[in-house]
Amino acid sequence: MKGIITPKSAFRTTTTEVTKTTNSITITQKAAIGSDTTQIGTQNNNYYGLTPAEASQMAVDLFMNNFPKLQEAAMKTVRERVDEIIKESVSQIETKYAGNYSAFSKPDMQYILVEAEKGYARKGTPELCSILSSLIADRTACPENSYLEMVLNKAIEVAPSLLPKHLDYLTLIFLYKSVRFGDTSTLDDLKNRYCEIHDTFHAPSTSNAISYFNMLGLLTISLGEGDEILSKTYGFNQQEIAQILPPEYTMIPGDYGLTPVGIVLAIFNAQSKWNRRFNLTTWIND
């Protein structure tokens, strides 16, 4: 099955293609952010200035020099969490970006790396480790002083303030309001796709998180209920769509969509829990 994922708004021609077979998924993915080459993970012995061990030690030293001293038991937990987040980040940089740690020498990268370590040291959940390590890896590949770099910086700062249920809610808003699936051509396709989505990402029982998202700068005005947006996106009758969607679709806010930071967090949560990939630069561009 081949799927094309595009932004809903304006239906841009830039796409991310995912080809799934029975036992594997082939992903057309950037070797560096903004590139269209296919990235294949290989063992790498030619590093950019730093080896994985040196990069890991630099990251740990940065943290230890910039985090308040705690009681011994708390510091033991903190150190374990920092080692964990750095190990996962280094692994992702090795796999996605061929072990290029040159960004670690830059002041802005060092600052945001410490912020990520601080956030994970305080919370330490598996979901946060997955998202922060992915954000850090992609951040190392950003062009310096780019818009995407600034958005990723903010996403790294905000991520520790979100629970898994918040991240799922952001992903649902994104998938309803900002995405068009190119392999969805019938009502049955739509039904199956959004049943799969709701099985993977759980909607809240109330919309109380909306004010919290607003406070964190994750929402922007975007009018339209979930069934209305899908009707306009795919050209199906709105009432028929409402009948085939899981009832949780009513939790999609009719007044709001996501800011660029909200979209980044939604995408990284989607990629952490789902078998599809999204090209960040399709949605985050100057």
Side-chain angles (χ1 to χ4, degrees), residues 31 55 72 114 124 147 166 186 211 214 218 229 253 257 262 265-266 275-276:
E72 184 177 354
V114 171
Y147 178 60
H166 294 142
T186 69
S211 59
N214 258 323
L218 303 178
I229 294 295
L265 292 166
N275 61 0
R276 288 178 178 263

Side-chain angles (χ1 to χ4, degrees), residues 28-61:
T28 301
Q29 175 180 314
K30 307 181 303 299
I33 291 178
S35 164
D36 292 322
T37 59
T38 300
Q39 176 65 38
I40 302 174
T42 59
Q43 184 176 3
N44 176 56
N45 295 315
N46 298 312
Y47 299 104
Y48 297 81
L50 295 171
T51 67
E54 290 169 341
S56 298
Q57 189 59 53
M58 173 187 286
V60 171
D61 290 345

Side-chain angles (χ1 to χ4, degrees), residues 125-179:
T125 65
E127 295 83 4
L128 185 58
C129 182
S130 176
I131 287 177
L132 278 178
S133 58
S134 295
L135 285 166
I136 290 168
D138 277 23
R139 173 61 182 77
T140 64
C142 279
E144 195 167 5
N145 298 319
S146 66
Y147 178 60
L148 179 57
E149 179 187 80
M150 292 186 288
V151 173
L152 287 174
N153 281 354
K154 190 63 177 178
I156 289 169
E157 292 176 351
V158 171
S161 299
L162 298 170
L163 299 172
K165 64 180 181 180
H166 294 142
L167 292 165
D168 273 8
Y169 197 12
L170 289 174
T171 298
L172 286 171
I173 295 171
F174 170 67
L175 294 175
Y176 271 88
K177 291 211 161 186
S178 301
V179 175

Side-chain angles (χ1 to χ4, degrees), residues 48-219:
Y48 297 81
L50 295 171
T51 67
E54 290 169 341
S56 298
Q57 189 59 53
M58 173 187 286
V60 171
D61 290 345
L62 281 169
F63 173 80
M64 297 305 292
N65 291 331
N66 288 278
F67 195 77
K69 302 302 179 185
L70 305 176
Q71 291 183 341
E72 184 177 354
M75 279 305 297
K76 181 176 183 295
T77 300
V78 163
R79 179 58 190 261
E80 290 172 351
R81 289 177 177 174
V82 170
D83 287 343
E84 183 179 7
I85 189 68
I86 294 305
K87 179 181 179 181
E88 182 60 27
S89 299
V90 165
S91 175
Q92 293 214 30
I93 294 169
E94 286 289 292
T95 301
K96 296 168 70 175
Y97 299 114
N100 186 349
Y101 302 98
S102 58
F104 277 36
S105 64
K106 296 180 171 61
D108 189 59
M109 184 68 213
Q110 291 188 5
Y111 174 87
I112 206 63
L113 185 59
V114 171
E115 289 301 300
E117 290 170 322
K118 286 180 179 178
Y120 188 67
R122 291 166 50 218
K123 303 297 183 182
T125 65
E127 295 83 4
L128 185 58
C129 182
S130 176
I131 287 177
L132 278 178
S133 58
S134 295
L135 285 166
I136 290 168
D138 277 23
R139 173 61 182 77
T140 64
C142 279
E144 195 167 5
N145 298 319
S146 66
Y147 178 60
L148 179 57
E149 179 187 80
M150 292 186 288
V151 173
L152 287 174
N153 281 354
K154 190 63 177 178
I156 289 169
E157 292 176 351
V158 171
S161 299
L162 298 170
L163 299 172
K165 64 180 181 180
H166 294 142
L167 292 165
D168 273 8
Y169 197 12
L170 289 174
T171 298
L172 286 171
I173 295 171
F174 170 67
L175 294 175
Y176 271 88
K177 291 211 161 186
S178 301
V179 175
R180 182 182 189 277
F181 294 95
D183 58 351
T184 299
S185 57
T186 69
L187 270 175
D188 280 343
D189 290 341
L190 191 71
K191 176 182 178 180
N192 293 335
R193 173 58 40 74
Y194 278 84
C195 283
E196 177 189 359
I197 286 170
H198 280 276
D199 284 344
T200 306
F201 308 102
H202 303 296
S205 56
T206 71
S207 59
N208 292 340
I210 293 298
S211 59
Y212 186 55
F213 291 166
N214 258 323
M215 182 187 74
L216 294 175
L218 303 178
L219 297 180

